[in-house]
């Protein structure tokens, strides 16, 4: 049976991620998600099978999840204490900061917050907020 080869024997993990927001590493982050997608559609002519493919717009979307304390600090520094009024900003995501991997960096360009949420329920031992973001471009 063929055996795969590990490049350096260590996989990226949550502990090796660093997120830089507004020029500062954010330690109160518990999740980040972002993606690039493009509309693609089969085009049809004579017969039943596609004759070509059409390509549409490219879209970017994402979200970050923070402890409420971290989110409140962002709100306090925002214009008029309103995070939805913050001018477009970059987010830098570095994978491999633990020194066991080769670091790679993703830059999310022209980000803005889309919501100012708060959800909590009885029994929560911490309060986290998931904030959707709009992204202008992802550079990898």
């Amino acid at each position: 049976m063929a055996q795969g080869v590990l490049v350096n024997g260590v996989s990226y993990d949550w502990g090796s991620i660093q997120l830089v927001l507004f020029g500062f590493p954010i330690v109160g982050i518990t999740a980040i998600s972002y993606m690039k997608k493009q509309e693609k559609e089969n085009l049809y002519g004579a017969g039943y099978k596609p004759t070509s493919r059409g390509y549409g717009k490219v879209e970017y979307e994402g979200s970050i999840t923070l402890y409420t304390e971290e989110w409140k600090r962002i709100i306090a520094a925002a214009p008029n204490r309103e995070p939805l009024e913050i001018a477009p900003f970059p987010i830098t995501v570095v994978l491999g900061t633990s020194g066991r991997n080769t670091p790679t960096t993703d830059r999310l360009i022209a980000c803005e917050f889309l919501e100012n949420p708060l959800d909590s329920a009885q029994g929560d031992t911490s309060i986290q907020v998931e904030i959707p973001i709009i992204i202008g471009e992802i550079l990898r």
Side-chain angles (χ1 to χ4, degrees):
M1 184 166 161
Q3 191 172 16
V5 177
L6 292 176
V7 174
N8 60 10
V10 178
S11 180
Y12 293 115
D13 56 32
W14 181 251
S16 70
I17 289 180
Q18 180 183 61
L19 181 117
V20 179
L21 187 63
F22 308 118
F24 298 99
I26 302 296
V27 296
I29 184 166
T30 60
I32 183 161
S33 172
Y34 51 93
M35 76 162 96
K36 174 183 179 179
K37 62 183 178 179
Q38 182 177 22
E39 290 182 16
K40 296 180 182 184
E41 178 182 7
N42 284 335
L43 305 175
Y44 295 86
Y48 298 107
K49 296 183 180 180
T51 58
S52 61
R53 183 163 288 149
Y55 296 88
K57 63 184 175 185
V58 173
E59 296 180 277
Y60 304 92
E61 60 185 53
S63 67
I64 59 174
T65 303
L66 303 168
Y67 286 114
T68 300
E69 297 83 352
E70 196 81 66
W71 182 234
K72 293 292 186 183
R73 283 192 279 280
I74 291 169
I75 291 171
N80 303 314
R81 297 186 51 84
E82 179 51 69
L84 304 182
E85 293 180 15
I86 297 173
F89 54 89
I91 298 175
T92 303
V93 181
V94 184
L95 299 169
T97 61
S98 65
R100 294 185 301 261
N101 306 79
T102 302
T104 63
T105 301
D106 290 350
R107 289 194 33 91
L108 314 182
I109 306 299
C111 300
E112 292 185 64
F113 299 119
L114 295 175
E115 296 177 7
N116 183 1
L118 179 69
D119 292 306
S120 186
Q122 192 280 326
D124 287 352
T125 59
S126 67
I127 301 174
Q128 300 176 40
V129 290
E130 180 180 1
I131 304 115
I133 55 175
I134 188 169
I135 302 167
E137 186 175 5
I138 299 173
L139 303 177
R140 295 194 166 168

